[in-house]
mmCIF file of all heavy atoms in Angstrom:
data_model
loop_
_atom_site.group_PDB
_atom_site.id
_atom_site.type_symbol
_atom_site.label_atom_id
_atom_site.label_comp_id
_atom_site.label_asym_id
_atom_site.label_seq_id
_atom_site.Cartn_x
_atom_site.Cartn_y
_atom_site.Cartn_z
ATOM 1 N N THR A 159 -31.000 -15.805 33.886
ATOM 2 C CA THR A 159 -31.952 -15.406 32.797
ATOM 3 C C THR A 159 -31.753 -16.273 31.636
ATOM 4 O O THR A 159 -32.759 -16.768 30.947
ATOM 5 C CB THR A 159 -31.774 -13.942 32.485
ATOM 6 O OG1 THR A 159 -32.006 -13.182 33.644
ATOM 7 C CG2 THR A 159 -32.949 -13.574 31.461
ATOM 8 N N CYS A 160 -30.506 -16.607 31.250
ATOM 9 C CA CYS A 160 -30.327 -17.415 30.157
ATOM 10 C C CYS A 160 -30.782 -18.895 30.324
ATOM 11 O O CYS A 160 -31.387 -19.488 29.415
ATOM 12 C CB CYS A 160 -28.809 -17.569 29.730
ATOM 13 S SG CYS A 160 -28.092 -16.004 28.949
ATOM 14 N N ASP A 161 -30.603 -19.365 31.537
ATOM 15 C CA ASP A 161 -31.148 -20.737 31.880
ATOM 16 C C ASP A 161 -32.709 -20.751 31.874
ATOM 17 O O ASP A 161 -33.247 -21.735 31.260
ATOM 18 C CB ASP A 161 -30.633 -21.011 33.333
ATOM 19 C CG ASP A 161 -29.143 -21.362 33.340
ATOM 20 O OD1 ASP A 161 -28.578 -21.590 32.369
ATOM 21 O OD2 ASP A 161 -28.705 -21.348 34.456
ATOM 22 N N ILE A 163 -34.589 -18.835 29.887
ATOM 23 C CA ILE A 163 -34.864 -18.712 28.485
ATOM 24 C C ILE A 163 -34.753 -20.132 27.800
ATOM 25 O O ILE A 163 -35.614 -20.607 27.057
ATOM 26 C CB ILE A 163 -34.084 -17.777 27.742
ATOM 27 C CG1 ILE A 163 -34.376 -16.226 28.257
ATOM 28 C CG2 ILE A 163 -34.229 -17.765 26.275
ATOM 29 C CD1 ILE A 163 -33.545 -15.144 27.683
ATOM 30 N N ALA A 164 -33.602 -20.803 28.169
ATOM 31 C CA ALA A 164 -33.310 -22.123 27.535
ATOM 32 C C ALA A 164 -34.414 -23.052 27.990
ATOM 33 O O ALA A 164 -34.939 -23.845 27.131
ATOM 34 C CB ALA A 164 -32.002 -22.480 27.980
ATOM 35 N N LEU A 168 -36.721 -21.764 24.654
ATOM 36 C CA LEU A 168 -36.132 -22.573 23.525
ATOM 37 C C LEU A 168 -36.618 -23.966 23.491
ATOM 38 O O LEU A 168 -36.933 -24.490 22.327
ATOM 39 C CB LEU A 168 -34.565 -22.541 23.724
ATOM 40 C CG LEU A 168 -33.973 -21.293 23.901
ATOM 41 C CD1 LEU A 168 -32.294 -21.364 23.918
ATOM 42 C CD2 LEU A 168 -34.375 -20.295 22.716
ATOM 43 N N PHE A 181 -39.464 -12.845 19.483
ATOM 44 C CA PHE A 181 -38.747 -13.726 20.549
ATOM 45 C C PHE A 181 -39.004 -12.989 21.882
ATOM 46 O O PHE A 181 -39.188 -13.656 22.927
ATOM 47 C CB PHE A 181 -37.231 -13.676 20.261
ATOM 48 C CG PHE A 181 -36.476 -14.604 21.184
ATOM 49 C CD1 PHE A 181 -36.368 -16.045 20.835
ATOM 50 C CD2 PHE A 181 -35.987 -14.174 22.395
ATOM 51 C CE1 PHE A 181 -35.763 -16.914 21.618
ATOM 52 C CE2 PHE A 181 -35.377 -15.075 23.209
ATOM 53 C CZ PHE A 181 -35.229 -16.463 22.931
ATOM 54 N N LEU A 198 -32.137 -8.361 27.123
ATOM 55 C CA LEU A 198 -32.405 -9.496 26.217
ATOM 56 C C LEU A 198 -31.316 -9.687 25.274
ATOM 57 O O LEU A 198 -30.940 -10.790 24.943
ATOM 58 C CB LEU A 198 -33.749 -9.282 25.479
ATOM 59 C CG LEU A 198 -34.209 -10.494 24.547
ATOM 60 C CD1 LEU A 198 -34.236 -11.755 25.393
ATOM 61 C CD2 LEU A 198 -35.579 -10.155 23.951
ATOM 62 N N VAL A 200 -27.954 -9.083 25.474
ATOM 63 C CA VAL A 200 -26.813 -9.678 26.129
ATOM 64 C C VAL A 200 -27.070 -11.104 26.411
ATOM 65 O O VAL A 200 -26.218 -11.974 26.278
ATOM 66 C CB VAL A 200 -26.330 -8.982 27.210
ATOM 67 C CG1 VAL A 200 -25.850 -7.576 26.892
ATOM 68 C CG2 VAL A 200 -27.359 -8.874 28.412
ATOM 69 N N CYS A 201 -28.424 -11.392 26.781
ATOM 70 C CA CYS A 201 -28.743 -12.787 27.088
ATOM 71 C C CYS A 201 -28.715 -13.791 25.774
ATOM 72 O O CYS A 201 -28.172 -14.877 25.762
ATOM 73 C CB CYS A 201 -30.205 -13.003 27.538
ATOM 74 S SG CYS A 201 -30.389 -12.332 29.233
ATOM 75 N N LEU A 202 -29.106 -13.085 24.589
ATOM 76 C CA LEU A 202 -29.070 -13.835 23.377
ATOM 77 C C LEU A 202 -27.602 -13.969 22.918
ATOM 78 O O LEU A 202 -27.306 -15.087 22.342
ATOM 79 C CB LEU A 202 -29.780 -12.995 22.242
ATOM 80 C CG LEU A 202 -31.346 -13.110 22.420
ATOM 81 C CD1 LEU A 202 -32.014 -12.222 21.449
ATOM 82 C CD2 LEU A 202 -31.740 -14.602 22.098
ATOM 83 N N LEU A 203 -26.813 -13.030 23.153
ATOM 84 C CA LEU A 203 -25.350 -13.273 22.933
ATOM 85 C C LEU A 203 -24.672 -14.417 23.725
ATOM 86 O O LEU A 203 -23.949 -15.186 23.210
ATOM 87 C CB LEU A 203 -24.537 -11.869 23.145
ATOM 88 C CG LEU A 203 -24.910 -10.696 22.229
ATOM 89 C CD1 LEU A 203 -24.050 -9.464 22.771
ATOM 90 C CD2 LEU A 203 -24.320 -11.067 20.787
ATOM 91 N N ALA A 204 -25.130 -14.458 24.900
ATOM 92 C CA ALA A 204 -24.561 -15.564 25.799
ATOM 93 C C ALA A 204 -25.217 -16.833 25.397
ATOM 94 O O ALA A 204 -24.409 -17.797 25.373
ATOM 95 C CB ALA A 204 -25.010 -15.294 27.270
ATOM 96 N N LEU A 205 -26.425 -16.963 24.947
ATOM 97 C CA LEU A 205 -26.953 -18.185 24.410
ATOM 98 C C LEU A 205 -26.408 -18.592 23.076
ATOM 99 O O LEU A 205 -26.254 -19.778 22.793
ATOM 100 C CB LEU A 205 -28.542 -18.003 24.320
ATOM 101 C CG LEU A 205 -29.243 -17.911 25.625
ATOM 102 C CD1 LEU A 205 -30.755 -17.434 25.271
ATOM 103 C CD2 LEU A 205 -29.326 -19.213 26.370
ATOM 104 N N ASN A 206 -25.932 -17.625 22.343
ATOM 105 C CA ASN A 206 -25.220 -17.836 21.062
ATOM 106 C C ASN A 206 -23.884 -18.468 21.354
ATOM 107 O O ASN A 206 -23.475 -19.408 20.685
ATOM 108 C CB ASN A 206 -25.179 -16.662 20.217
ATOM 109 C CG ASN A 206 -24.422 -16.833 18.919
ATOM 110 O OD1 ASN A 206 -23.384 -16.287 18.752
ATOM 111 N ND2 ASN A 206 -25.091 -17.619 18.034
ATOM 112 N N VAL A 207 -23.248 -17.987 22.366
ATOM 113 C CA VAL A 207 -21.939 -18.538 22.844
ATOM 114 C C VAL A 207 -22.171 -20.013 23.237
ATOM 115 O O VAL A 207 -21.316 -20.824 22.936
ATOM 116 C CB VAL A 207 -21.272 -17.722 23.969
ATOM 117 C CG1 VAL A 207 -20.092 -18.459 24.587
ATOM 118 C CG2 VAL A 207 -20.838 -16.377 23.511
ATOM 119 N N ARG A 208 -23.293 -20.293 23.883
ATOM 120 C CA ARG A 208 -23.609 -21.722 24.290
ATOM 121 C C ARG A 208 -23.963 -22.560 23.087
ATOM 122 O O ARG A 208 -24.119 -23.751 23.275
ATOM 123 C CB ARG A 208 -24.707 -21.675 25.254
ATOM 124 C CG ARG A 208 -24.515 -20.961 26.681
ATOM 125 C CD ARG A 208 -25.685 -21.339 27.545
ATOM 126 N NE ARG A 208 -25.740 -20.494 28.706
ATOM 127 C CZ ARG A 208 -26.624 -20.644 29.747
ATOM 128 N NH1 ARG A 208 -27.597 -21.535 29.626
ATOM 129 N NH2 ARG A 208 -26.545 -19.806 30.763
ATOM 130 N N GLN A 209 -24.077 -21.875 21.897
ATOM 131 C CA GLN A 209 -24.472 -22.657 20.691
ATOM 132 C C GLN A 209 -25.799 -23.235 20.743
ATOM 133 O O GLN A 209 -25.992 -24.311 20.227
ATOM 134 C CB GLN A 209 -23.302 -23.714 20.311
ATOM 135 C CG GLN A 209 -21.914 -23.036 20.137
ATOM 136 C CD GLN A 209 -20.968 -24.063 19.728
ATOM 137 O OE1 GLN A 209 -21.109 -25.217 19.689
ATOM 138 N NE2 GLN A 209 -19.823 -23.574 19.313
ATOM 139 N N ILE A 210 -26.830 -22.624 21.385
ATOM 140 C CA ILE A 210 -28.016 -23.163 21.488
ATOM 141 C C ILE A 210 -29.082 -22.142 20.795
ATOM 142 O O ILE A 210 -30.291 -22.448 20.734
ATOM 143 C CB ILE A 210 -28.515 -23.447 22.880
ATOM 144 C CG1 ILE A 210 -28.450 -22.237 23.836
ATOM 145 C CG2 ILE A 210 -27.846 -24.696 23.415
ATOM 146 C CD1 ILE A 210 -29.011 -22.494 25.219
ATOM 147 N N VAL A 211 -28.654 -20.970 20.205
ATOM 148 C CA VAL A 211 -29.375 -20.159 19.304
ATOM 149 C C VAL A 211 -28.417 -19.683 18.319
ATOM 150 O O VAL A 211 -27.229 -19.506 18.590
ATOM 151 C CB VAL A 211 -30.087 -18.954 19.991
ATOM 152 C CG1 VAL A 211 -31.124 -19.411 21.090
ATOM 153 C CG2 VAL A 211 -29.054 -17.946 20.604
ATOM 154 N N GLY A 212 -28.919 -19.320 17.083
ATOM 155 C CA GLY A 212 -28.202 -18.670 16.077
ATOM 156 C C GLY A 212 -28.725 -17.158 15.857
ATOM 157 O O GLY A 212 -29.919 -17.010 16.181
ATOM 158 N N LEU A 213 -27.763 -16.359 15.630
ATOM 159 C CA LEU A 213 -28.160 -14.948 15.534
ATOM 160 C C LEU A 213 -27.798 -14.379 14.158
ATOM 161 O O LEU A 213 -26.754 -14.597 13.580
ATOM 162 C CB LEU A 213 -27.485 -14.095 16.615
ATOM 163 C CG LEU A 213 -27.766 -14.544 18.110
ATOM 164 C CD1 LEU A 213 -26.827 -13.623 19.016
ATOM 165 C CD2 LEU A 213 -29.273 -14.430 18.443
#
Side-chain angles (χ1 to χ4, degrees):
T159 302
C160 286
D161 290 344
I163 292 174
L168 303 186
F181 190 89
L198 181 56
V200 296
C201 288
L202 287 168
L203 289 173
L205 290 167
N206 181 248
V207 169
R208 296 188 191 184
Q209 299 184 351
I210 54 178
V211 299
L213 301 178

